Amino acid sequence: MRGLSWLLVGILLLGGCAVPAAENRQETHSSPTPRDERPLVLTTFTVLADMAQQVAGDRLRVESLIKPGAEVHSYEFTPSDLVRGQEAVLILENGLGLEHWGDRFYKSLPNVPKVTLTEGITPIPIQEGTYRGQANPHAWMSPQNALIYVENIRKALTNLDPAGAKIYAANAKAYQAQIRALDQELRQALAPLPAHKRYIVTCEGAFSYLAREYDLTEVYLWPLNADQEGTPRQIARVIDIVRRQQIPAVFCESTVNANPQQQVARESGATFAGIFYVDSLSPPAGNAPTYLDLLKSNINTLIRGLSGRTAP
């Protein structure tokens, strides 16, 4: 398989070459960092990179095309992104229309195979806006769907590298066990919330899968980040819902402008209670450096907001 033979680095013996006396007396304090020769698996955004790394372990090099904190829907790829793509042996994408720029990117990399990780997931249709009727792409926000992502990653890596099949299977099984355990933990954490408080009010309609899974009512300003965002009509509609339902807290996502939702909070009397992570993980020192941390951070932020507690 292309790119999957580990390169053996030979030590070159410089026999017979005279070394200048001055150089011979110098002490070597450091050496260049060796190049990582493991095959590169490139994912479109950080959440998928973390999932894929859990399955790949140390056997493959997994990188995200898009850096933490960047918006995935309207991403504009660069010439350096194409260089990285040409180095990859596999690209993992979300699909369901998330990567609007994807077709142009993949056409420039005709020899790099691509796998869509939402295969086998039943999509929830977008309810309004330009993309009404199309699939909501944020399927990873459901832990049950995440199990399907992990299985699709396992299959993709096994097809890429059959010799690593046992490693990928063991890693996938262990990771899926962690996802199932977290799912139960989150269900228990949400259980005490009464029905009239089980609202999740966000900027983007990215929580449809999570809301369905955890019996929450989703309210959002705009349905998809690629659509119109923060229009007066959107803001007025959410203000009306928050007032009518007496929803105590509203939220926004880390990759978009929170000003429209802060206006909702001011004019409705609700609290702007924090940031959710959806389309991007945080940097390593942040609240959501991994997919599992992303889910925990979001649910903890939601519960604190709806319960009238401030962040620690």
Side-chain angles (χ1 to χ4, degrees), residues 8 40 46 72 103 116 121 125 152 156-157 171 197 206 209 211 226-227 233 236-237 260 286 293 295:
L8 299 177
L40 171 63
T46 55
V72 60
D103 287 344
T116 300
I121 288 174
N152 287 337
L157 299 188
N171 289 346
K197 281 192 175 182
Y209 296 91
D227 210 337
R233 183 175 181 180
R237 180 181 65 87
D293 290 326
L295 292 176

Side-chain angles (χ1 to χ4, degrees), residues 40-44 63-65 81 84-85 88 90-92 105:
L40 171 63
V41 174
L42 193 64
T43 71
T44 50
E63 295 180 2
S64 170
L65 182 72
D81 291 333
R84 292 175 69 199
L90 178 66
I91 296 174
L92 300 177
F105 184 70

